[in-house]
Amino acid sequence: MAKKKDDAGSESTAVAKGLFVRCRYCGQKNSVKADYKNNSANCGRCKLPLSNEPHKKFADLGKHEYIHPADSKALAALKAIPGIDTALKKLLAVTGESAIRVMFMATAVKVTPKQCPDLHAKLQIACTTLGVDMPDLFIQQNPMVNAFTGGVEKPVIVLHSALIERLSDEETLAVIAHEVGHIHAEHVLYLTAARLMEALANLSVARLIPGSEIVKFIISAGIGGALLAWARRAELSCDRAALLVVQDPHVIGRTMMKLAGGTFASKIDYDLFLEQAREFQKNYDEKKLDKFWADIINAGLSHPFPIWRVSEILKWVEDGQYKDLMKKN
């Protein structure tokens, strides 16, 4: 015990002298300059900003504590379709979950403690914060700014190269945490089926795969449309999961700003972007025609509008629900 006390004392002295700072996210001890200030340097392991602010880890976080109401409502409607679970399990059995893993092992780069170690550290941070076993993480060369989670028994997360190139380290953590949120929220069965239905939406293509009768049944029964409608709303829940990991709503906001504005985002005023998000939400809530067109346009997309996602996160924070959850766990 005496030795531990000496070690702790020497560490405190070192911090006081500005020699090192322990990363609040991953725990790595980092050497810093004597004039160090919060957020003026990044961790050598996870590359996230160093700060003496605490980072909360959730001991027993339940998915229903952060699931978005629109997600819950859409999922209930989806589960009300007769035979849906059986059909989806047959679909995934036919297409083979192993195909997902084989594809990315062959066409993407697998992240490990030695391969892209900062991304591996970010994945570990997201998983330990939410209480999820670490899935495999891959980087795939793709000009589309996107990320997704696939598989069921052994989920995998895939980040597109364009996304990593465009986002900051904190924003990249937010995206990884969003994908880990899908695993924590137990979205992966329906989410994998939804993405597969997007790929097989053309029946002429669907007929080429084994078990095409199952695909045709799913489409004809309206399951495909219900799946995609739910999948869009599930993204709102996982934005909340991302916030529980990064613990700064503006990181989520800036990420969405880049998704909306692309590389031009560096010239965009973030505060004005937040005003735009609030204006969008106000019009959506108060103007029936705006709501009608927003719903129609968004129905053709795989994700909710970035501006809508920002407004939903702002609402969750400003309503006090996020703060209450941070205190509770």
Side-chain angles (χ1 to χ4, degrees), residues 44-323:
R45 179 170 177 256
C46 67
K47 306 302 181 185
L48 294 167
L50 293 173
S51 171
N52 60 8
E53 294 292 327
H55 182 262
K56 187 176 183 62
K57 303 291 193 292
F58 294 89
D60 188 23
L61 179 66
K63 64 179 183 178
H64 295 295
E65 296 183 83
Y66 64 87
I67 291 294
H68 193 283
D71 177 357
S72 297
K73 184 178 179 180
L75 185 60
L78 186 61
K79 288 187 174 182
I81 299 174
I84 182 170
D85 283 348
T86 301
L88 294 183
K89 287 176 182 177
K90 285 183 178 179
L91 174 66
L92 294 177
V94 168
T95 56
E97 182 180 6
S98 63
I100 297 173
R101 188 168 296 274
V102 168
M103 179 173 68
F104 293 117
M105 283 294 288
T107 65
V109 175
K110 184 178 180 180
V111 173
T112 70
K114 293 184 178 180
Q115 183 75 279
C116 306
D118 62 305
L119 292 178
H120 188 270
K122 290 180 179 71
L123 175 64
Q124 189 174 46
I125 291 163
C127 290
T128 55
T129 302
L130 296 177
V132 174
D133 292 336
M134 285 184 65
D136 286 337
L137 174 63
F138 292 90
I139 304 169
Q140 185 181 53
Q141 198 293 120
N142 196 308
M144 295 292 292
V145 178
N146 197 14
F148 58 91
T149 302
V152 180
E153 297 298 328
K154 294 182 178 180
V156 299
I157 295 174
V158 180
L159 305 179
H160 286 180
S161 56
L163 180 139
I164 300 171
E165 292 165 356
R166 184 167 297 177
L167 301 183
S168 71
D169 285 291
E170 286 181 291
E171 293 158 1
T172 300
L173 173 63
V175 172
I176 292 173
H178 174 102
E179 298 304 324
V180 171
H182 281 305
I183 299 172
H184 184 270
E186 299 179 334
H187 285 164
V188 286
L189 170 62
Y190 287 164
L191 191 64
T192 301
R195 299 309 174 218
L196 185 59
M197 291 311 303
E198 284 181 316
L200 300 178
N202 185 335
L203 272 176
S204 64
V205 175
R207 291 192 188 99
L208 298 178
I209 68 168
S212 60
E213 293 301 318
I214 298 171
V215 177
K216 286 188 285 185
F217 165 74
I218 289 174
I219 294 175
S220 63
I223 294 176
L227 266 174
L228 296 177
W230 163 78
R232 286 190 295 274
R233 290 157 178 80
E235 302 297 336
L236 301 176
S237 295
C238 293
D239 286 342
R240 292 180 172 188
L243 178 55
L244 293 175
V245 173
V246 298
Q247 298 172 15
D248 180 352
H250 297 301
V251 173
I252 308 297
R254 289 193 298 270
T255 303
M256 296 304 152
M257 184 176 72
K258 289 184 178 179
L259 291 180
T263 55
F264 193 71
S266 61
K267 300 180 180 179
I268 298 174
D269 187 297
Y270 176 63
D271 290 332
L272 292 178
F273 181 73
L274 294 184
E275 287 183 22
Q276 179 184 340
R278 291 189 172 93
E279 181 182 0
F280 170 85
Q281 189 66 53
K282 184 175 185 293
N283 291 339
Y284 183 87
D285 292 339
E286 297 178 359
K287 298 180 180 180
K288 292 183 179 180
L289 190 58
D290 280 30
K291 183 180 187 303
F292 170 80
W293 282 117
D295 290 342
I296 290 294
I297 296 168
N298 198 213
L301 304 177
S302 62
H303 288 67
F305 301 125
I307 203 76
W308 185 24
R309 294 169 70 176
V310 173
S311 68
E312 288 294 329
I313 281 293
L314 290 175
K315 185 161 58 174
W316 195 48
V317 171
E318 291 166 359
D319 285 350
Q321 296 178 56
Y322 164 69
K323 186 176 181 180

Side-chain angles (χ1 to χ4, degrees), residues 6-22 29-36:
D6 291 343
D7 289 344
S10 63
E11 183 171 317
S12 298
T13 302
V15 172
K17 291 180 178 179
L19 298 179
F20 69 82
V21 172
R22 192 172 296 279
K29 189 165 70 174
N30 295 267
S31 298
V32 294
K33 296 180 179 179
D35 60 351
Y36 162 81

